[in-house]
């Protein structure tokens, strides 16, 4: 089962740490948890730590895009601070790295 934990490294910044696969099997529960976390704090920046995501499918990509959209509603920036090889490959294939603030250093 996939877990999303969070912490605020500085005021206005929310870092989400995803541990486990981002797939259709957990999509609804993860969506609810994600929306709950994004509504809890005033948001200026959203950081995504995806280093411990061994698998991602299109449902997982949709969840990440949902997170980015919600951050934009708060006029917050999105930055992927870490990404597993599986996440990096899928996001690069879909050309979504820039949307999620992924840089070469995110690996």
């Amino acid at each position: 089962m996939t877990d999303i934990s969070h912490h605020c490294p500085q005021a206005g910044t929310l870092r989400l740490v995803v541990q486990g696969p981002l797939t259709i099997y957990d999509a609804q529960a993860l969506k609810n948890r994600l929306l709950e976390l994004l509504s809890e704090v005033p948001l200026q920046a959203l950081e995504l730590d995806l280093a411990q995501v061994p698998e991602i499918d299109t449902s997982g990509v949709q969840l990440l895009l949902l997170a980015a959209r919600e951050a934009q509603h708060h006029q917050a920036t999105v930055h992927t601070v870490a990404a597993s090889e599986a996440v990096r490959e899928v996001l690069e294939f879909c050309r979504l790295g820039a949307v999620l603030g992924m840089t070469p250093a995110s690996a």
Side-chain angles (χ1 to χ4, degrees), residues 34-54:
L34 181 66
L35 292 173
E36 173 189 325
L37 290 171
L38 291 172
S39 67
E40 286 181 357
V41 296
L43 196 59
Q44 296 172 348
L46 175 63
E47 297 179 347
L48 301 170
D49 182 340
L50 307 171
Q52 297 178 50
V53 177

Side-chain angles (χ1 to χ4, degrees), residues 83-96:
S84 67
E85 187 62 30
V87 170
R88 179 168 296 287
E89 286 177 6
V90 168
L91 295 182
E92 286 176 358
F93 178 78
C94 296
R95 299 181 186 260
L96 292 172

Side-chain angles (χ1 to χ4, degrees), residues 51-70:
Q52 297 178 50
V53 177
E55 180 183 5
I56 185 170
D57 65 12
T58 55
S59 294
V61 171
Q62 288 177 327
L63 289 171
L64 296 177
L65 292 175
L66 172 65
R69 185 187 72 195
E70 290 299 311

